[in-house]
Amino acid sequence: MPRSTFALTARMPDPVSLLAALHAGGPDLRVDRAGQGAVVRLCTEDGRQVVAVEAPRYLQVPGEAARLLGPAAATESPVWWTEVRAASAVPEAPRLAASVAGRLATLLDGTTWPRETAAHTDVVTVEASGEPAPALAAGDDVLTEADMLTDRAAVVLPDIPVLAATTWLTELLRTTARTGRHLYLVTPPTTRLTLPARTLLDRAPARWVVRDPETGYYDGLTGLELVWHGDHFAPPVGRNPTVVDAYRPPPTGRSGERQFLLSARTIHPADEQLLLGGTLECAWQTLTGEPPAGWSTAEPVNVPWSRRQLTDLARSRARRGSPTWLVAVGSPGRPAIATQRVTHTRLGVEEHITLALGHTADSPVPLDLLPHLAKDLAARHHLATMVTEVRAARADLMAPAHYEPPALPVSLTFGPDTVADTGLSRVEEALPDTPVVRLGPTARPTLHCTLGDGTDPAAWRRLRRATAHLHVAPAAQAVLGRPGG
């Protein structure tokens, strides 16, 4: 699992249309719910899952369907997005999933992706296998979608061009971590990751495994050769780790394309008047000339940008002791995507932001705007620290299964509270050969340090020396000294 088919419909799938779609499996399949009611499943009499239907998402953000599925899925108006996943272990499952999606599209004025499933609304009969479904604890039902499940690992083979941070993936990551398993997502080399999906994989016991028909298996983010050791993927035993040839960049690269990366940490006093999202909105507006188009807690991003709604969600989760993680995107013609994490700490309400902007050869990175942005964030949004970087990489902000150069630092900014905690002279001493500009009030300055222009590898040496000298003071523990990869 899973091979996904999508129904993109003008009208909301209601219980009647959903029931009609599920009848594509005939009378012998059983219907049940999983994922706290967010997923409807068709199962055989012996409990084997055949198809899973995710709760529909109303996409009000332009360009989201096309961003994740390609130009063929582009729509001019808001649509309902319904994902139907087929179990790879059941031969009839892909055809059944296509029929479920096709029926929804037919009933609700829509289309399907892939397009060739649009006309298919046949009844698909699935026989029981005779083998009992694996026994799982309550709340672990998402693991039934694993293609292989051991005590140490869950192996999933997604069949989709772009692997995004969907509700399904976030639940899969959460459940494998909670049950002490490592998640392996095995894809063909044509699959790409979104920035949010890559962020989630970096922070979880998970690995993107690419299956190349000639090379075999390798890590999609590092190129390291991998083999299956019976219950997990790891480098071969008995020889030095090797980067496979398939990970080499293609000979015809995307000339002139670059990514601008901004990582920022803000610390706000916790009070009822606090409105979150201002740092992200300010950076977006300054660097692109427009605010974010939408936000959500998963991809596809489906809700128009609203700082008030974002704040309300974070506040409600904080009452339960939970952090808030979200994704924001820009308009279709301007590649931009961000993740933001909101937590309550002893210092206050913290926002950790990573913003990525895509630039082609004819759209230069606006490095000249960074001092103005740093001053604005410090004065209005309680900036603690900010690092900016540039890398030669895809302007569409997707991570391919081949090598891209690491990011190179451009600037490092310390907000006034961080400077006060660390000491003004100590910060300046840490950067003896680096231009440092004092911004804002003389008594409480913000320090903006230019480390390079995005092409100088020595910028990493300057950044590491600064953070080592400062020992990263308590109020400055942001994403510092992290090479892009």
Side-chain angles (χ1 to χ4, degrees), residues 101-112:
R103 288 181 174 216
L104 289 173
T106 301
L107 292 169
L108 302 170
D109 303 325
T111 60
T112 60

Side-chain angles (χ1 to χ4, degrees), residues 93-130:
R95 192 161 177 267
L96 175 56
S99 181
V100 172
R103 288 181 174 216
L104 289 173
T106 301
L107 292 169
L108 302 170
D109 303 325
T111 60
T112 60
W113 186 95
R115 290 293 193 216
E116 57 266 26
T117 64
H120 172 40
T121 58
D122 300 341
V123 172
V124 179
T125 302
V126 181
E127 300 293 337
S129 66

Side-chain angles (χ1 to χ4, degrees), residues 182-373:
H182 202 100
L183 175 64
Y184 299 99
L185 297 165
V186 184
T187 75
T190 53
T191 297
R192 292 163 288 139
L193 298 188
T194 65
L195 171 70
R198 177 172 181 169
T199 300
L200 290 178
L201 293 184
D202 281 343
R203 297 175 180 177
R207 196 167 211 163
W208 178 24
V209 179
V210 178
R211 182 170 59 182
D212 183 82
E214 297 181 2
T215 303
Y217 297 104
Y218 66 93
D219 188 300
L221 296 178
T222 66
L224 199 65
E225 181 186 5
L226 301 173
V227 295
W228 180 248
H229 289 276
D231 60 358
H232 68 286
F233 280 100
V237 176
R239 66 175 189 263
N240 293 331
T242 304
V243 175
V244 301
D245 289 340
Y247 191 64
R248 296 174 184 263
T252 54
R254 302 166 74 96
S255 178
E257 295 190 10
R258 291 186 294 173
Q259 296 176 5
F260 172 80
L261 308 174
L262 180 151
S263 299
R265 177 184 181 225
T266 60
I267 306 173
H268 307 276
D271 62 57
E272 289 297 319
Q273 305 304 314
L274 176 60
L275 193 62
L276 297 171
T279 302
L280 183 58
E281 184 177 83
C282 178
W284 214 299
Q285 184 75 51
T286 300
L287 297 171
T288 72
E290 57 188 32
W295 75 285
S296 181
T297 55
E299 294 178 281
V301 173
N302 62 323
V303 181
W305 177 251
S306 169
R307 292 179 61 190
R308 172 54 60 192
Q309 291 180 0
L310 186 163
T311 302
D312 290 344
L313 174 67
R315 186 168 284 128
S316 67
R317 290 192 171 183
R319 293 191 184 105
R320 302 194 299 269
S322 301
T324 298
W325 185 84
L326 60 95
V327 182
V329 296
S331 58
R334 184 67 181 83
I337 193 166
T339 61
Q340 176 169 330
R341 190 169 188 268
V342 181
T343 59
H344 280 63
T345 71
R346 61 181 181 81
L347 300 174
V349 180
E350 298 194 23
E351 294 179 286
H352 295 254
I353 295 157
T354 300
L355 169 64
L357 307 177
H359 294 268
T360 56
D362 56 357
S363 61
V365 180
L367 300 184
D368 58 313
L369 298 176
L370 294 181
H372 169 73
L373 174 61

